[in-house]
Amino acid sequence: MKKVLVLGGSGFVGRHVCEQLNRAGIRATVPTRRIANAQTVQTLPLVDVIEADVHDEAALARLLPGHDAVVNLVAVLHGSEKHFEQVHVELPRRLARAMQASGVTRLVHISALGADADGPSLYQRSKARGEAVLAEAGLALTVLRPSVVFGAEDQFLNLFARLQAGL
C-alpha cells in the first residue's frame, strides 16, 4: 500500500486531500503540533495522525522513512516577512534536506497563483523563493499554483458571509 506524508493535512485543503487519498486506498500520515487540531481527519481509516512539529528538521527526518511521497500544504496568508520566510522558504528547505537524506524523492508542493520573486506582496515573493529552493533540491517535484481556494468551511468567503450577516 502506498503511503503519503501530508504536511498541513489537518487544514481546510488538507482535510480534502486526506479524504481523497483515503478513497484511493492510500495511507496518509498527518503530523500536527496538537492532535486536537486534526479531528477532521482522525476518523478516516487510512489516516494516521502523529503529534510532531514539521518546522523541526529532526522531526521531519523521523517522519519520512516508509513514505512514498510528500504533499506540502503548509502556508500562511498573513504575517511578517520573517513569518512568511519561516513557513514558505525555510520549511521547504528543511523538507528538501530531510527528503534527500531519507531517499523519499516525490513531492507535491502547493504554492500560489502569482508566486513571483518580483511579486507585489511578501506572500507572492516568499512563495516563489520556496519554489526555487525545492526546484534546486533535485526532487521529483510537482508544484501546484492554485488561486484562492474556497468551499463550505473556508475562512475566505465565510468571513464575508458573516460580515454581511452582521455577526
Side-chain angles (χ1 to χ4, degrees), residues 8 10 21-22 33 38 43 55 58-59 79 82 114 118-119 123 148 153 159 161:
S10 61
L21 290 170
N22 192 75
R33 281 183 278 190
T43 59
H55 295 278
K82 180 181 178 183
D118 298 318
Y123 175 80
V148 174
E153 290 108 22
L159 168 65

Side-chain angles (χ1 to χ4, degrees), residues 43-54:
T43 59
L44 297 170
L46 297 178
V47 173
D48 300 311
V49 177
I50 296 175
E51 199 164 286
D53 181 359
V54 299

Side-chain angles (χ1 to χ4, degrees), residues 5 11 23 28 33 44 53 68-69 85 92 98 101 107 129 137 139 155:
L5 178 64
R23 283 191 188 118
R33 281 183 278 190
L44 297 170
D53 181 359
D68 299 292
E85 189 76 13
L107 173 63
R129 286 193 305 276
L139 301 169
Q155 294 180 8

Side-chain angles (χ1 to χ4, degrees), residues 91-139:
L91 174 59
R93 182 174 285 121
R94 288 183 190 102
L95 178 59
R97 284 194 300 253
M99 289 179 71
Q100 290 164 337
S102 72
V104 177
T105 60
R106 188 76 187 106
L107 173 63
V108 177
H109 177 72
I110 309 305
S111 185
L113 187 65
D116 186 321
D118 298 318
S121 71
L122 291 172
Y123 175 80
Q124 291 170 316
R125 293 190 301 269
S126 66
K127 280 294 202 176
R129 286 193 305 276
E131 286 182 23
V133 163
L134 293 172
E136 294 168 5
L139 301 169

Side-chain angles (χ1 to χ4, degrees), residues 23-41:
R23 283 191 188 118
I26 299 170
R27 184 165 286 288
T29 303
V30 175
T32 180
R33 281 183 278 190
R34 290 180 264 343
I35 293 289
N37 292 346
Q39 290 178 349
T40 58
V41 296

